[in-house]
Each structure stands twice: as structure tokens, then as C-alpha cells.
Amino acid sequence: MNISNLKIIKASGEKAKFAIDRVAESLRRSGANEELIQKTLEKLKTELYEGITTKEIYNRAFNLLKEDNKTSASKYKLKTAIYELGPTGFPFEKFIAALLSYSGYKTQTGKIYQGKCVTHEIDVEAKTDSKLILIECKFHNAGRNCDVKIPLYIDSRFRDIKNFRSNGENKLTFEEGWVVTNTRFTSDAVKYAKCANLKLLSWDYPKGQGLKDRIDQLGLYPITVSTLLSEREKNFLLSRDVVLCQELINDTFYLDHLGISNPRKKRILEEMRDLCKH
């Protein structure tokens, strides 16, 4: 069919013109070579129709890619894999803590901080010997972005903590406050954060240093990207705070605990080692 004027439905419900270049770019980021990208796109074109959703396009492209290259398929499904860390948002906090831990920070989740006015439970604390970062994580479903109310609210909490710690009794300086989301920030949210000196981290912000970029650069993928683990197995691992493929590579205890056969365990670990190469 002629796809030049094809209209698709985005996660927000908004209609948009289909852009095959965007699909090609997402396939490219998965590590697929140009031959496989073109092969996948040609097959995908035959399955498109007016009013198809972006989710359906993604599912079809993912299944086509998986037929030829499971590692690329796993990387391609990264955004969906992050959504699968929900719905409570707690595994997402653990994932962010794990990313920072592998980047050299000592991290804790759910730590209580005293403010000047009230106490605050902070999602993630990340620190070095000289630096303290406090991070609030906002997990959303597809189609919902972080608006300006979120950094406004979080900024007020961080200010309360800073006001308490400015009395000189606390040796470790609170240098940075972060707001992290698995989706995107609105333009007003970004504008406020810049003005208030808040650091934002989202799926693709800051440019070149967003979540997807950091994950690819570090080779630290959530276990939910696996094409071989079942949903039940993923949920079991998340309930035990195992959120990174790297954690399973380093310690197979939980795979053994799940009663996974040795041949299947070998395939799972091979998939994860291929994925985590960077």
C-alpha cells in the first residue's frame, strides 16, 4: 500500500502522519544492520493500515526483528521493557538506583530525610565521599508526560531538606536534586527545572544523555527486555529486587531457584551477555 499519507494513532490518542524514517532509526538504535533494517521495513509495510496504533506498529516490527536477531529485538523493546517495570513504580526506582550504582555512586532507596518543616521519603539517594544527590522518580504509563506541577512539587520538598541541612551540622553537602521519569517532560517542566537548578532525566532528555542513551552506553538493561524469560519469571525476579540483566549474569541463584533447566538457563544467559556488551 501507499504509506506516504498513512495516518496512525499515537499513545496519546492523537493522529499523526506515519514516518517510516522514525521506525528505521529505532531499528538502527537496536544494533540491527542495514540489510536487516530494510528487510524488516519491507515486511512491515505490507502489514500497515489506516488508523493503526503506534503500539501495534511497534509490536509488528518487534516480532519481525525477533525472527532474525533476538538481541536487536531486545534492545528495540527497551522502551516497553521500562514500562514493564510498573505499575507500582518501585522497580523503576530500583532500576535508577542500579544504573547509578554501576556508575560509581553508593545508592539507597526509600530513605527518610528531615526537612525544616516536615520529613520526606526520597526515592533514591546517590552519593560519593563528597557529593549527595537526591532523586525523585515519576513512573507513568504510555501517553502521559511529566508536566510542570511535578518539578514544582519536588523542588519544594528538596528546598525543605536543604533548609534543614544548611544549619552546618550536616557534613555532606546536598548538591543536586533530580527528577527522573520513564516518559518525557513538557516544555514548561524543562523551563522550570532550568530556572530552579533541578536536573531532569527522561527517556530522551538531556539529548544524548537520556535514559535510553545511558542504558545503551553502560550496557545495563532491565531484565524485562529479555525475549526468553516469561512474564511470571520476570515478576518473580523484580519482586526479589533483581532488575538488571547484569545482576543475573553475575549471580544465577534466582534462575536456579525458578527451576529453569540448564539448557534454557544457558540460552537466557547467552542472550543477556550479548545484550550487555558495550
Side-chain angles (χ1 to χ4, degrees):
M1 68 173 293
N2 184 358
I3 63 169
S4 58
N5 295 313
L6 184 72
K7 291 290 191 299
I8 63 172
I9 308 296
K10 297 166 73 173
S12 62
E14 176 189 356
K15 284 188 177 182
K17 190 175 179 180
F18 175 66
I20 198 162
D21 289 347
R22 293 187 67 178
V23 181
E25 184 54 35
S26 64
L27 291 169
R28 203 166 282 117
R29 285 198 303 269
S30 75
N33 61 39
E34 290 301 316
E35 182 182 353
L36 180 54
I37 289 169
Q38 293 308 315
K39 179 182 175 182
T40 303
L41 292 177
E42 288 304 314
K43 286 183 180 178
L44 181 64
K45 286 178 186 177
T46 67
E47 300 182 5
L48 298 175
Y49 56 87
E50 186 72 20
I52 189 172
T53 64
T54 52
K55 183 178 180 180
E56 183 62 21
I57 292 170
Y58 156 78
N59 285 337
R60 293 181 184 219
F62 170 72
N63 288 327
L64 290 168
L65 194 59
K66 190 166 69 167
E67 291 174 7
D68 290 284
N69 190 316
K70 283 186 169 58
T71 300
S72 290
S74 292
K75 290 186 178 182
Y76 182 71
K77 74 164 287 188
L78 177 58
K79 193 171 189 177
T80 301
I82 298 294
Y83 286 131
E84 290 174 11
L85 291 174
T88 64
F90 183 63
F92 181 61
E93 295 168 17
K94 287 284 186 182
F95 178 66
I96 296 302
L99 280 181
L100 288 166
S101 179
Y102 274 84
S103 299
Y105 291 92
K106 295 177 182 177
T107 62
Q108 288 189 56
T109 57
K111 190 167 179 181
I112 303 297
Y113 270 81
Q114 180 63 52
K116 183 178 180 180
C117 304
V118 294
T119 57
H120 305 269
E121 182 176 353
I122 299 300
D123 290 338
V124 181
E125 173 199 82
K127 63 182 180 180
T128 63
D129 290 339
S130 60
K131 186 176 183 180
L132 174 64
I133 299 172
L134 301 185
I135 302 162
E136 282 294 284
C137 301
K138 291 301 169 186
F139 183 87
H140 294 305
N141 293 321
R144 185 181 171 195
N145 293 332
C146 273
D147 63 24
V148 69
K149 291 192 294 293
I150 291 172
L152 269 167
Y153 161 67
I154 292 173
D155 185 41
S156 67
R157 298 182 69 205
F158 287 163
R159 285 174 186 271
D160 190 37
I161 294 169
K162 275 186 176 179
N163 287 338
F164 175 75
R165 294 176 70 84
S166 64
N167 60 17
E169 295 176 9
N170 301 282
K171 294 180 181 179
L172 196 58
T173 304
F174 170 23
E175 291 193 8
E176 288 181 1
W178 291 20
V179 186
V180 181
T181 184
N182 60 311
T183 54
R184 290 185 169 94
F185 293 101
T186 64
S187 58
D188 275 354
V190 172
K191 188 182 295 185
Y192 179 83
K194 286 179 178 177
C195 180
N197 202 28
L198 274 177
K199 186 166 183 177
L200 299 185
L201 178 63
S202 73
W203 174 247
D204 56 3
Y205 184 90
K207 188 174 181 181
Q209 283 295 313
L211 271 178
K212 64 180 179 182
D213 301 296
R214 288 170 181 249
I215 292 165
D216 284 336
Q217 289 161 11
L218 295 168
L220 296 175
Y221 293 88
I223 59 163
T224 44
V225 298
S226 173
T227 61
L228 298 177
L229 287 170
S230 69
E231 185 177 354
R232 181 189 70 82
E233 289 163 346
K234 290 175 185 177
N235 288 336
F236 172 85
L237 292 167
L238 290 174
S239 72
R240 267 66 177 179
D241 294 338
V242 180
V243 293
L244 294 179
C245 292
Q246 193 65 51
E247 292 172 296
L248 281 180
I249 293 171
N250 294 337
D251 185 358
T252 63
F253 169 78
Y254 285 113
L255 292 181
D256 296 330
H257 189 68
L258 280 163
I260 294 172
S261 67
N262 283 332
R264 184 163 172 259
K265 182 171 71 173
K266 184 180 178 182
R267 290 197 304 274
I268 290 168
L269 291 173
E270 283 175 353
E271 174 193 42
M272 292 184 174
R273 288 190 188 101
D274 286 341
L275 191 60
C276 293
K277 289 174 184 175
H278 67 285

